[in-house]
Amino acid sequence: MTSIASPMPSPVGPSAASSVPASLAPVVLTPPALTPPSSPDSPWWRSAVIYQIYPRSFADANGDGIGDIAGITSRLEYLRDLGVDAIWITPWYRSPMDDHGYDVADFRAIDPLFGTLGDAEALIADAHSLGLRVLLDIVPNHVSDEHLWFRAALTAAHGSAERDRFIFRSGKGATGELPPNNWQSMFGGGAWTRVDGPDGTPGEWYLHLFAPGQPDLNWNNPEVRDEYDDILRFWFDRGVDGFRIDVAHGMIKHPDMPDLDITNIGTGNGVSANMDPAVLGRAGRNDHPHWNQPGIHEIYRRWRAVADSFEPPRIFVAEAWVDQLEWLADYLRPDELHSAFNFDFLVSPWRAGYLRETIENSIAALGAVEAVPTWVLANHDVIRQVTRYGRPQPHGRARRHVGDDPTPLDLVLGTRRARAAALLMLALPGGAYVYEGEELGLWEVEDIPDDLRQDPTFAQSGGTNPGRDGCRVPIPWTADGSSFGFGPDGGTRPWLPQPPTFAGVSVAVETGDPESMLELYRSALHLRTHHPDLGDGPMAWDESHPDVLSFTRGDSFRCVVNISPAAVPLAAYQDILLASAPADDGLLAPDTAIWLSI
Ligand code: NOJ
Ligand code: CA
């Protein structure tokens, strides 16, 4: 790969002017894209586009206001036709839902809200028959306080085998009334909760880096390691193709559990209330006492052996909010995990310099361990990109903040940029994730009334942080119906209110509209699947204006993204394959991306 950022190249080449249409490039839909084939050189996951399903918000088949497995199954053909290669389903296991499923009470059971184990098995079979692979979500850092292990720990004595599966410590102070250290919960407040001893008097404290209902496990306990091997096998035996690993950098804690130097906090898991994009992914520290401890890698070498013992081998994607791409690459060494979300890309402001640097550094750092980047613009934890990009740049803050966000919001501009960002992401080397609703251009719903907010972040921060509900509002499938087709008409109201404007961005309204976000994603995904130069493989930067990203893939594909405030001329090309906005007279308008054959 070359990397060149230089002034504007010489004017448009001879073939350009004649082949620029006055409107969007015609969309040629090819037959449904199934999962790319695996080859020893490039297994499927190195190029795959994986669609994230947040089950509560996707589709509600039984009309109780909460999405479910039958709802997902009913929409699999939509996903096949969209052109993705696989789905990742966030936790569907039995859970009291303190953190909407990331508090797991039983990994081998489906929560009744979502369905049954039989429903899950049927979904996996149906997805496979449509050519879609299936990833689940494994949550190893913590379980629910309703997990049988934790219940047993609560009634067991200090120093017992039951308590050793978790992180119980005596408190500080004369009577142990102070927490063992100053660690903070990612959702706000302290990370320790004190429990009563068996005799009813206040006793030890347990660690929960997230909600109090999510006690952290002790990964130095061999029983914990064995249990997770077994959970992996349980689902791999049922045909699951891989796992997304929750808080993948968090399981090992410093043996001394020292206080955190809060003047030098690093970034760790970006859920923390004071996250700032200037810090996230750039600064930080390599001695954080509970993130990215070196012992984590031994766990993944063991998991890799489990995944490789299946035929075909299963895969992992890590959710690891580590501060340096080199640290991320450590997780992707050949005997560890397959891929990891590129959150630097997600948090990058809509600025060519930031994006170029992130792309270059990611490819270089991961290439050093023969891994490919996994690009991502959205998920169920961050502000949707239409809203992020609709604010003055550089902004890019992907996390909600106390008291934000007073800056003006322009959703038309945000949508325009999100369209361009999608074409950028899907043209880059490696894999990508699409979060449900991103393909419709959904924005962050920022005006959910406080009394309807559900994310524990809101309550745990004392109402100062709005939490993540705004990106979890149920999907609109139709323009009418009491929940826009999320559930049956007249069913129970969705668990989060949908704004009336969701009617206009429903699947039904966007289908067939050549200017819709949905048709842009469909076209891009189908082109990507069938284009030999896209997905895994090299890229090379072209000479371009510093505020323009221009790169080629192979011999015949070019992506140009104009992030400057003025239209820029396009260099010679053969045809426009796809554009995020009309490209007139050989000029690429601001905040526009184009795919060209050259
Ligand atoms: C990351 C998940 O994406 C988020 O939704 C969850 O709250 C935390 N991990 C804790 O499990
Ligand atoms: Ca339901």
Side-chain angles (χ1 to χ4, degrees):
M1 183 189 98
T2 58
S3 88
I4 306 162
S6 70
M8 190 70 81
S10 52
V12 186
S15 69
S18 58
S19 51
V20 177
S23 63
L24 285 177
V27 169
V28 182
L29 282 184
T30 42
L34 302 186
T35 312
S38 273
S39 77
D41 294 339
S42 186
W44 71 273
W45 48 267
R46 288 179 69 100
S47 296
V49 178
I50 301 179
Y51 185 95
Q52 180 191 350
I53 295 178
Y54 193 70
R56 282 185 92 78
S57 305
F58 191 62
D60 171 22
N62 68 355
D64 66 355
I66 295 174
D68 43 47
I69 295 178
I72 300 173
T73 305
S74 73
R75 304 291 183 182
L76 287 175
E77 286 180 8
Y78 164 80
L79 298 174
R80 187 263 323 263
D81 295 345
L82 180 61
V84 297
D85 306 303
I87 54 177
W88 150 39
I89 303 171
T90 62
W92 58 8
Y93 318 106
R94 186 183 291 277
S95 163
M97 303 288 167
D98 283 355
D99 187 18
H100 298 321
Y102 283 97
D103 48 322
V104 180
D106 182 352
F107 272 105
R108 297 176 187 81
I110 298 293
D111 195 273
L113 264 184
F114 297 140
T116 64
L117 189 57
D119 294 337
E121 289 169 338
L123 181 149
I124 296 164
D126 282 6
H128 284 168
S129 73
L130 293 171
L132 295 166
R133 289 185 162 99
V134 180
L135 271 61
L136 301 184
D137 207 317
I138 193 154
V139 188
N141 182 69
H142 45 265
V143 291
S144 162
D145 60 354
E146 292 190 13
H147 192 287
L148 286 182
W149 276 7
F150 194 72
R151 287 198 192 158
L154 286 183
T155 54
H158 172 85
S160 60
E162 288 83 357
R163 288 213 168 177
D164 189 56
R165 294 168 179 148
F166 297 90
I167 302 176
F168 279 87
R169 292 289 184 276
S170 301
K172 287 181 175 167
T175 59
E177 75 281 10
L178 299 173
N181 67 26
N182 72 349
W183 294 1
Q184 298 293 300
S185 160
M186 295 303 104
F187 296 153
W192 295 92
T193 291
R194 196 173 191 188
V195 295
D196 288 343
D199 63 356
T201 59
E204 289 185 307
W205 299 71
Y206 71 89
L207 178 71
H208 52 86
L209 290 177
F210 293 87
Q214 292 168 297
D216 280 46
L217 288 163
N218 170 19
W219 274 84
N220 294 319
N221 183 327
E223 220 186 327
V224 171
R225 295 185 185 224
D226 291 347
E227 169 68 359
Y228 273 83
D229 287 354
D230 204 63
I231 294 165
L232 294 175
R233 289 199 182 94
F234 178 88
W235 287 104
F236 289 158
D237 281 338
R238 281 164 181 73
V240 162
D241 299 284
F243 277 98
R244 175 262 192 189
I245 305 169
D246 186 67
V247 199
H249 58 314
M251 292 107 90
I252 301 293
K253 279 75 183 177
H254 190 288
D256 303 335
M257 311 210 40
D259 271 356
L260 188 59
D261 174 4
I262 48 174
T263 61
N264 176 23
I265 202 159
T267 58
N269 186 304
V271 181
S272 174
N274 292 315
M275 222 32 67
D276 187 305
V279 175
L280 189 61
R282 295 285 178 271
R285 50 189 287 184
N286 61 7
D287 61 346
H288 196 293
H290 62 68
W291 299 138
N292 198 36
Q293 285 277 309
I296 199 94
H297 298 289
E298 190 187 321
I299 298 171
Y300 295 134
R301 283 191 281 272
R302 180 167 161 155
W303 284 21
R304 180 63 178 252
V306 174
D308 283 350
S309 73
F310 283 79
E311 184 50 44
R314 310 304 206 249
I315 68 137
F316 297 108
V317 55
E319 186 220 20
W321 288 85
V322 295
D323 300 351
Q324 308 272 340
L325 285 159
E326 287 70 23
W327 302 345
L328 193 66
D330 285 346
Y331 290 74
L332 305 181
R333 289 175 286 199
D335 59 347
E336 295 194 37
L337 305 175
H338 304 74
S339 59
F341 297 111
N342 192 307
F343 293 126
D344 284 6
F345 184 68
L346 187 154
V347 302
S348 177
W350 186 243
R351 283 282 183 262
Y354 285 92
L355 288 162
R356 183 185 285 109
E357 187 187 331
T358 298
I359 293 164
E360 282 179 14
N361 293 347
S362 302
I363 292 171
L366 273 53
V369 293
E370 293 175 25
V372 286
T374 300
W375 309 104
V376 60
L377 289 168
N379 65 33
H380 63 291
D381 292 329
V382 301
I383 299 171
R384 283 192 180 271
Q385 62 265 52
V386 164
T387 299
R388 294 202 310 269
Y389 297 148
R391 295 215 150 95
Q393 305 290 311
H395 179 284
R397 187 161 63 220
R399 298 289 182 181
R400 293 106 192 138
H401 238 243
V402 173
D404 74 1
D405 215 330
T407 49
L409 175 63
D410 180 343
L411 284 182
V412 173
L413 180 63
T415 302
R416 184 181 178 94
R417 290 172 170 168
R419 291 173 64 88
L423 292 197
L424 168 62
M425 173 175 82
L426 294 172
L428 290 172
Y433 276 74
V434 172
Y435 172 50
E436 63 180 33
E438 161 180 347
E439 81 278 21
L440 301 174
L442 299 190
W443 53 89
E444 185 82 3
V445 180
E446 295 186 304
D447 57 355
I448 297 171
D450 285 354
D451 59 335
L452 296 181
R453 289 196 181 275
Q454 308 273 335
D455 181 6
T457 311
F458 179 67
Q460 244 180 271
S461 69
T464 56
N465 185 325
R468 301 161 292 177
D469 295 322
C471 64
R472 300 173 175 180
V473 175
I475 299 294
W477 294 91
T478 55
D480 42 30
S482 55
S483 60
F484 304 124
F486 167 66
D489 196 19
T492 306
R493 273 194 319 198
W495 69 285
L496 283 172
Q498 300 160 299
T501 41
F502 263 29
V505 285
S506 60
V507 172
V509 166
E510 293 199 23
T511 297
D513 173 357
E515 295 187 1
S516 72
M517 187 75 90
L518 179 57
E519 293 301 345
L520 181 78
Y521 267 79
R522 279 187 181 145
S523 300
L525 289 166
H526 285 266
L527 278 165
R528 176 185 158 104
T529 302
H530 296 283
H531 201 295
D533 294 328
L534 293 180
D536 191 13
M539 71 172 273
W541 291 113
D542 306 313
E543 286 193 20
S544 71
H545 183 285
D547 292 334
V548 174
L549 301 176
S550 179
F551 56 94
T552 53
R553 306 287 321 271
D555 297 331
S556 64
F557 180 94
R558 171 171 292 149
C559 175
V560 188
V561 191
N562 181 9
I563 307 179
S564 79
V568 295
L570 289 164
Y573 61 88
Q574 267 179 1
D575 283 309
I576 294 178
L577 300 172
L578 191 60
S580 67
D584 295 317
D585 302 326
L587 289 176
L588 192 65
D591 297 315
T592 304
I594 196 163
W595 286 5
L596 302 167
S597 63
I598 53 172

